């Protein structure tokens, strides 16, 4: 028997068109940076975008949340970073 439900098929993951998300980096010194990026960008890519806005070199930036330090080569999607995610911005 064919299923005749009115619901749409579940969204496909891993499609070529990744959605833009906006993440926030807060250094708790009064600077709050909003950055638009893609879910398949790496943390290293995100640091470059933050560096462009803050004038700080990307190597000097450390992104953290509680005790998790985010590593440069891993993607935002793999860390399950979604739209509106807030990082702690630290300077090395």
């Amino acid at each position: 028997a064919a299923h005749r439900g009115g619901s749409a098929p579940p969204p496909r993951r891993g499609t070529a068109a990744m959605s833009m998300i906006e993440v926030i980096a807060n250094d708790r010194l009064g600077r709050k940076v909003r950055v638009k990026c893609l879910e398949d960008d790496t943390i290293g890519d995100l640091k470059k975008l933050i560096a462009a806005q803050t004038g700080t070199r990307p190597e000097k930036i450390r992104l953290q949340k509680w005790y998790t330090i985010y590593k440069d080569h891993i993607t935002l999607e793999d860390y399950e970073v979604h739209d509106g995610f807030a990082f702690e911005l630290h300077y090395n």
Side-chain angles (χ1 to χ4, degrees), residues 43-62:
I43 293 292
D45 296 333
L46 178 58
K47 284 182 181 180
K48 288 176 190 154
L49 295 169
I50 292 169
Q53 282 196 34
T54 61
T56 308
R57 296 206 320 273
E59 315 85 73
K60 293 283 179 195
I61 293 172
R62 185 174 82 239

Side-chain angles (χ1 to χ4, degrees), residues 1-5:
H3 175 66
R4 286 188 175 269

Side-chain angles (χ1 to χ4, degrees), residues 43 46-47 50 61-64 68-70 87-89:
I43 293 292
L46 178 58
K47 284 182 181 180
I50 292 169
I61 293 172
R62 185 174 82 239
L63 293 175
Q64 216 172 302
T68 304
I69 297 174
Y70 292 88
F87 288 99
E88 298 167 11
L89 179 56

Side-chain angles (χ1 to χ4, degrees), residues 6-65:
S7 60
R12 287 195 327 226
R13 290 184 58 72
T15 52
M18 287 298 259
S19 55
M20 290 285 286
I21 60 172
E22 186 178 61
V23 297
I24 298 147
N26 191 340
D27 70 358
R28 298 177 307 182
L29 301 170
R31 175 176 275 169
K32 197 175 200 178
V33 186
R34 291 176 173 274
V35 184
K36 290 215 183 301
C37 51
L38 295 170
E39 289 180 324
D40 62 349
D41 284 346
T42 63
I43 293 292
D45 296 333
L46 178 58
K47 284 182 181 180
K48 288 176 190 154
L49 295 169
I50 292 169
Q53 282 196 34
T54 61
T56 308
R57 296 206 320 273
E59 315 85 73
K60 293 283 179 195
I61 293 172
R62 185 174 82 239
L63 293 175
Q64 216 172 302
K65 181 103 180 207

